[in-house]
Amino acid sequence: MAANMKAVKLRIKSVQSTMQITKAMELVASSKLRRAKERSDQCRPYFRELHQTLVDIAEGNTDFSSVYAKPSSNERCCYVVIAGDRGLAGGYNSNLFKKLEAAAGENRDYVVLPIGKKAVEYFQRRKIEILTEEFATVANISVADCFEIARLLCREYREGRFGHIELCYTEFVSMLSQRPEVYPMLPLTDLESVNRDASGAADVSDGAGQGAGSGNGQKKSVHDLILYEPDSSEVFDAIVPEYLGGFIYGGISDAVASELAARRNAMEAATSNAEEMIEKLNLSYNRARQSSITTEITEIVAGAEGVG
């Protein structure tokens, strides 16, 4: 009995130590989450303005032509996958990879640009072609890095290495809900109606490719009231990498906020489970202690009666 009580006591101390760690991680994630959400909200107007400029240029020029706005015959796709750097975030990373596999379907002829250590590890294990591992740590990604990624993607796209680019990340819906999504980026004919929640990086009613009239080969009847120098095509091609950089930065901002929210929820659940476990262990310890005391009293009474 004494050995059993000692084991329960050690177990209680162990669970208490774990609970202190999970509680600390919950508080850290909560403090970082506020800043991450603010950054996600701040990048939204920038993306909207870029996207609207693309739509205006495409709709306002009937003789407009760009490699980014034409449907691609190359079916190979490049996925920009934004995952986390660490675990202990519930199903944050695994749900993202499941979403990617579902989007890719049976087509395994694709290349990835992973952002986040977990993404790099995942694709390395599965021996999937990686475009670059230079941006492996999502916590260190800056705005300049996002534009560098966008320029790299545009260069590879123009050279024909792949014909489609899609962004796979976890969208921040609320503190309790994070949803993995896959959004098309290039060509702009793939960009369908996108409506993000308040924390997303975009709120787009019409795709830029649709604005270009590539869906049915017809142009909207518009008046070209803006003069672009040197011409609209060059302006359009110069804006596209900026647009993609803003798109990627918005995705990273959402993904970081989603990871912190998922980690906070996971650590909160772990802390709650630890408290319940400690309560049950204390109950077991008290029962064992009472049983030990009752046994000792019974032995003392029996001994006294034997002496009498």
Side-chain angles (χ1 to χ4, degrees):
M1 185 64 67
N4 185 37
M5 290 174 59
K6 183 177 181 181
V8 173
K9 198 69 174 177
L10 291 174
R11 179 63 173 167
I12 291 174
K13 291 182 179 180
S14 176
V15 175
Q16 286 176 339
S17 299
T18 302
M19 185 178 68
Q20 290 176 352
I21 296 174
T22 57
K23 186 64 177 178
M25 293 183 67
E26 177 189 347
L27 295 175
V28 171
S30 298
S31 64
K32 291 182 177 180
L33 177 59
R34 179 178 56 82
R35 296 193 298 270
K37 189 175 182 302
E38 289 177 356
R39 187 179 73 167
S40 178
D41 292 339
Q42 290 172 356
C43 74
R44 189 188 323 149
Y46 174 73
F47 177 89
R48 286 178 173 175
E49 190 66 26
L50 280 177
H51 186 276
Q52 190 56 48
T53 303
L54 286 172
V55 173
D56 292 343
I57 295 176
E59 289 184 347
N61 293 271
T62 56
D63 58 346
F64 178 76
S65 177
S66 172
V67 65
Y68 300 122
K70 296 178 181 178
S72 176
S73 59
N74 186 352
E75 295 299 326
R76 196 179 197 207
C77 184
C78 175
Y79 290 99
V80 181
V81 184
I82 306 173
D85 292 329
R86 297 179 294 146
L88 297 177
Y92 170 79
N93 291 306
S94 60
N95 291 338
L96 178 70
F97 297 141
K98 288 178 182 178
K99 182 69 176 181
L100 172 63
E101 296 295 336
E106 297 180 357
N107 179 23
R108 297 297 173 180
D109 184 21
Y110 63 87
V111 61
V112 295
L113 194 157
I115 301 176
K117 294 179 181 178
K118 292 298 180 180
V120 174
E121 294 172 0
Y122 179 85
F123 295 115
Q124 284 179 342
R125 288 196 304 268
R126 283 157 180 76
K127 301 186 183 305
I128 295 175
E129 183 181 354
I130 296 176
L131 187 62
T132 178
E133 298 181 12
E134 185 178 351
F135 310 98
T137 306
V138 68
N140 297 335
I141 298 295
S142 63
V143 178
D145 292 328
C146 293
F147 291 129
E148 185 177 349
I149 293 172
R151 288 191 291 269
L152 171 63
L153 291 172
C154 289
R155 183 174 66 250
E156 296 292 338
Y157 180 84
R158 291 193 304 269
E159 293 176 357
R161 185 169 180 179
F162 38 77
H164 302 269
I165 303 176
E166 297 187 3
L167 180 67
C168 182
Y169 74 103
T170 303
E171 187 174 9
F172 182 85
V173 180
S174 68
M175 293 289 292
L176 300 177
S177 177
Q178 300 83 41
R179 182 175 58 233
E181 294 288 353
V182 177
Y183 284 104
M185 293 195 295
L186 284 182
L188 297 178
T189 52
D190 291 348
L191 191 60
E192 299 175 350
S193 178
V194 178
N195 293 303
R196 298 193 184 178
D197 295 325
S199 62
D203 186 6
V204 183
S205 58
D206 294 309
Q210 294 173 339
S214 57
N216 53 15
Q218 297 179 352
K219 295 285 183 180
K220 296 175 63 177
S221 178
V222 295
H223 297 284
D224 189 3
L225 302 178
I226 302 176
L227 178 63
Y228 297 98
E229 292 291 345
D231 59 62
S232 59
S233 297
E234 292 192 24
V235 174
F236 188 88
D237 290 345
I239 290 177
V240 167
E242 300 290 322
Y243 156 72
L244 293 186
F247 205 122
I248 295 170
Y249 182 72
I252 289 176
S253 300
D254 252 19
V256 171
S258 298
E259 181 185 5
L260 291 172
R263 180 169 294 111
R264 176 191 174 279
N265 294 336
M267 293 301 100
E268 183 180 17
T271 302
S272 178
N273 292 336
E275 291 175 349
E276 293 179 3
M277 187 178 297
I278 289 174
E279 184 178 350
K280 292 179 180 179
L281 289 172
N282 280 328
L283 182 59
S284 299
Y285 178 80
N286 290 334
R287 286 177 178 175
R289 184 168 175 270
Q290 288 176 348
S291 176
S292 177
I293 292 173
T294 302
T295 301
E296 290 178 2
I297 293 174
T298 302
E299 291 176 352
I300 291 171
V301 172
E305 289 178 353
V307 172

